[in-house]
Amino acid sequence: MVDDTAIRDILAGIKTIAVVGCSKDPAKDAHRVPKYMQMNGYRIIPVNPTATEILGEKAFPSLDAVPIPYDTVDIFRPSADVPPIVEQAIPGPARVIWMQLGIRNEDAAKKARSAGKIAVQAHCRMLDHGRLYGRKILD
């Protein structure tokens, strides 16, 4: 479990977010949350095998294909899909693996922590950022 101090430290220490499951659909949280983070100064790297570009950024089919250093991995995939994403993230540059609201996989989180990563489960990055920094979230 992470508290507000840990979340604030995570948000302050990152600049680039690889978003696994980033959506092309503006109505989905997997689009709205990365857009909000982008609007608040973070660079978004969309990871979606069905897209070439999302939010004005080149999309990549997997974390393994991302040539740009990133500080954190933000996961917008069902909980059952998390383990292989964490497997890809562990050797990568991210120090944080963040599972969005409603997404939990304790085995994957333990594996990430054992590899020295910070694992956050079932937290919305947009809601936490908005609450902790007093910013308006996207409707």
Side-chain angles (χ1 to χ4, degrees):
M1 176 104 180
V2 294
D3 61 13
D4 284 353
T5 300
I7 290 172
R8 190 183 300 271
D9 288 347
I10 290 167
L11 293 171
I14 63 170
K15 297 290 178 220
T16 306
I17 306 168
V19 182
V20 178
C22 192
S23 178
K24 300 173 276 188
D25 183 349
K28 291 188 173 184
D29 288 341
H31 182 91
R32 289 177 44 250
V33 173
K35 180 178 179 177
Y36 167 89
M37 297 307 291
Q38 189 180 55
M39 292 169 57
N40 282 278
Y42 297 87
R43 175 157 188 211
I44 299 301
I45 301 171
V47 179
N48 180 326
T50 68
T52 56
E53 183 179 293
I54 301 173
L55 296 168
E57 294 283 348
K58 177 178 172 41
F60 297 91
S62 67
L63 282 175
D64 292 337
V66 176
I68 304 158
Y70 48 89
D71 307 305
T72 186
V73 173
D74 200 353
I75 302 173
F76 280 94
R77 298 292 303 142
S79 298
D81 294 351
V82 168
I85 297 166
V86 170
E87 288 288 335
Q88 280 188 28
I90 286 173
R95 68 179 185 92
V96 178
I97 299 171
W98 185 297
M99 297 171 226
Q100 278 297 133
L101 195 61
I103 303 168
R104 298 186 76 77
N105 190 302
E106 196 56 48
D107 290 340
K110 284 179 188 173
K111 190 165 198 168
R113 288 184 194 109
S114 293
K117 306 290 184 178
I118 298 167
V120 178
Q121 297 186 81
H123 272 264
C124 177
R125 193 180 291 267
M126 176 176 71
L127 295 177
D128 286 344
H129 186 276
R131 179 176 53 81
L132 293 171
Y133 291 96
R135 302 278 168 73
K136 182 179 178 350
I137 61 169
L138 298 177
D139 295 327

